Amino acid sequence: ASEFSKHHRQNTISDIGVLKMKTDFDAFLYNFKGENELELLNILQNKFKDNAIVIDFWAVWCSPCLQTMPYFKALQRNTSDIPVKFVYICTSNSTNEQAWMNKIMELKQPGIHLFVEDKLVRKLMDILQLTGYPSYLIFKRNSAQSEKLENIKELKKNDFLKFL
């Protein structure tokens, strides 16, 4: 049996996009089909409005991106009792949906995963004043206020409390 057979593959339309898969390690994989970068932000802020939202901009081929994934996985475990959502926005640049899904399965990375067209990701990063991969951002709960996150490897649960 393939790695994918243990997981629930879908093609269900949701507010975030096409839900491609739910996994047994608490990952939800969506293909975002929207046309507008602000639409994506609004959808995330509305869907998770009672949570601080951590966004990780990454690429399948980006070694520094992949090296921080275990830290995010540990942070998710350590913050499971506070209202923080982890959203991973992967660019389509130089990759495809299957490679993206394979990488998440390999990493067993929990969270909300979005596969997004590169031009949309670039526009979003420009608006948020982010440069390159990886880039990290956190939105305050019930707010459009965001802050860049640095030193991911040193973040602890208490660092997130000011965003709640």
Side-chain angles (χ1 to χ4, degrees), residues 6-23:
K6 293 185 271 180
H7 307 282
H8 190 62
R9 286 195 82 142
Q10 297 187 277
N11 274 306
T12 308
I13 307 281
S14 83
D15 48 353
I16 298 180
V18 179
L19 178 61
K20 304 305 281 185
M21 183 186 299
K22 292 182 201 174
T23 71

Side-chain angles (χ1 to χ4, degrees), residues 19 26 29 51 90 109-110 114 143:
L19 178 61
D26 207 24
L29 286 66
N51 298 271
C90 182
Q109 191 73 27
L114 305 175
S143 172

Side-chain angles (χ1 to χ4, degrees), residues 30-32 90-92 95-97 100 113-117:
Y30 297 90
N31 188 330
F32 180 73
C90 182
T91 177
S92 67
T95 194
N96 60 46
E97 186 179 276
W100 163 73
H113 294 270
L114 305 175
F115 188 72
V116 181
E117 282 301 315

Side-chain angles (χ1 to χ4, degrees), residues 2-148:
S2 77
E3 179 67 25
F4 291 112
S5 64
K6 293 185 271 180
H7 307 282
H8 190 62
R9 286 195 82 142
Q10 297 187 277
N11 274 306
T12 308
I13 307 281
S14 83
D15 48 353
I16 298 180
V18 179
L19 178 61
K20 304 305 281 185
M21 183 186 299
K22 292 182 201 174
T23 71
D24 62 359
F25 52 86
D26 207 24
F28 297 83
L29 286 66
Y30 297 90
N31 188 330
F32 180 73
K33 294 293 192 183
E35 300 288 320
N36 182 298
E37 65 280 1
L38 295 177
E39 173 191 9
L40 176 54
L41 278 184
N42 288 334
I43 288 169
L44 292 173
Q45 288 172 333
N46 288 331
K47 184 161 184 71
F48 305 119
K49 65 177 175 266
D50 294 328
N51 298 271
I53 305 168
V54 174
I55 302 179
D56 176 356
F57 290 89
W58 72 289
V60 169
W61 41 260
C62 167
S63 292
C65 299
L66 300 176
Q67 290 167 2
T68 59
M69 291 290 187
Y71 296 97
F72 272 119
K73 189 189 294 189
L75 272 174
Q76 279 183 258
R77 274 195 307 270
N78 296 336
T79 58
S80 63
D81 61 333
I82 61 173
V84 177
K85 289 289 182 197
F86 289 79
V87 177
Y88 300 87
I89 296 179
C90 182
T91 177
S92 67
N93 181 322
S94 300
T95 194
N96 60 46
E97 186 179 276
Q98 192 60 54
W100 163 73
M101 291 171 76
N102 290 346
K103 188 54 72 177
I104 294 165
M105 299 302 289
E106 175 189 321
L107 297 167
K108 294 192 176 353
Q109 191 73 27
I112 309 299
H113 294 270
L114 305 175
F115 188 72
V116 181
E117 282 301 315
D118 183 55
K119 69 177 185 179
L120 208 62
V121 175
R122 282 187 278 135
K123 285 181 187 175
L124 191 53
M125 289 176 77
D126 283 347
I127 288 169
L128 298 169
Q129 299 177 332
L130 302 171
T131 55
Y133 299 105
S135 287
Y136 314 103
L137 195 67
I138 187 166
F139 280 92
K140 277 185 111 158
R141 180 163 78 171
N142 297 314
S143 172
Q145 279 188 310
S146 66
E147 193 175 296
K148 290 179 190 175

